[in-house]
Amino acid sequence: MPGLPRPVTVTPPQHRQRRETAAAWAYISPAVLIILGLGVVPVAWSLVLSFQADDLVTPSRWVGLDNYAALAQDPHFAQAVGNTVLYTVLYVPLSILFGFLLAQALNRRIRLVGVYRTLVFVPFVLSATAQGVLFSFILDPQFGAANSLLHHLGVSPQGFLTDPAQALLVLVGITLWSGTGFCVVVYLAALQDVPPSLVEAARLDGAGTWRVLRHVTLPAVTPVTAFLVVWQLITSLQVFDLVYVTTKGGPLGSTTVIVYFVWEQAFKNFTAGYGAASAYVLALALLAVVVVVRVLRRPGKALR
């Protein structure tokens, strides 16, 4: 009848919860499918592939742990591991040290400090491909600007990327030029969070610059340093683009790193199973690095 209020329909809580759950899955299902398709499935497939002999053309066959056993006896893989370890040992501490020192220098109110910070960070934005092309021209043994400058200084020409004794060190120098900027930005953010009252109290107690740095600044940025160590370790163990563009793993395998070795085995020698096995060795190494860093940080947390 007109004028009478309409009855209010009450939805049971179970039905409302089901509708909300269905709506939530409808929203997140595209992202879940992308993650499964581009992340989980390839990882699982490559794990199975590492136990097979596969040339990406003919049907694969199961070989068990033969690929991993062959890796243990492969001198080329041993060389790639040695190159990667040397690259990591040089790049990680130097990038963190230079990043901290530059952040300390740029954490001051000086003229054009914004310009200096931008110039330090710009190389990090450049892709590894662009860096490789740029330095391939600069370091060309015959026509490069580097040897031209050395000639004017009276220094004999250098082989740079074509010299087996220098190539890996040159790659470390290139990545320091580009990767240090990331450390600078992270350390700058951390240094600006250091309470000024702690620094002032330390100076009032007679602490000099070194003591303030040692007892105030460094402990305050320790969590950031731990993050940068893990980040730079993972970055250095996964280096590929720069090697591919500049040296192709040469000369004489002096710049062949693990990821380039994986690519070479899978897509150049068409031994995909062998390449997948070497990729999982790298994955285990990365997992071990993360676990070690987390274990080393626990005593510090207990002290705090």
Side-chain angles (χ1 to χ4, degrees), residues 35 47 64 115 117 130 152 157 159 162 166 197 201 209 247 252 262 289 293:
I35 293 173
L47 177 61
V115 176
R117 292 175 179 175
H152 285 87
T162 61
Q166 298 180 4
S197 58
T209 303
T247 63
L252 302 178
V262 172
V289 166
V293 172

Side-chain angles (χ1 to χ4, degrees), residues 43-101:
V43 168
W45 178 74
S46 62
L47 177 61
V48 175
L49 186 63
S50 68
F51 298 105
Q52 298 177 342
D54 193 329
D55 59 3
L56 300 177
V57 178
T58 60
S60 60
R61 58 186 178 86
W62 188 265
V63 296
L65 296 174
D66 289 354
N67 287 328
Y68 294 94
L71 281 175
Q73 301 175 356
D74 189 346
H76 298 292
F77 181 70
Q79 184 184 25
V81 171
N83 292 336
T84 305
V85 170
L86 179 59
Y87 177 91
T88 302
V89 168
L90 292 175
Y91 171 68
V92 174
L94 289 177
S95 64
I96 293 176
L97 176 62
F98 292 158
F100 180 76
L101 294 178

Side-chain angles (χ1 to χ4, degrees), residues 188-209:
L188 271 174
L191 289 173
Q192 291 175 3
D193 285 339
V194 176
S197 58
L198 292 179
V199 178
E200 294 176 2
R203 294 193 182 281
L204 289 175
D205 288 339
T209 303

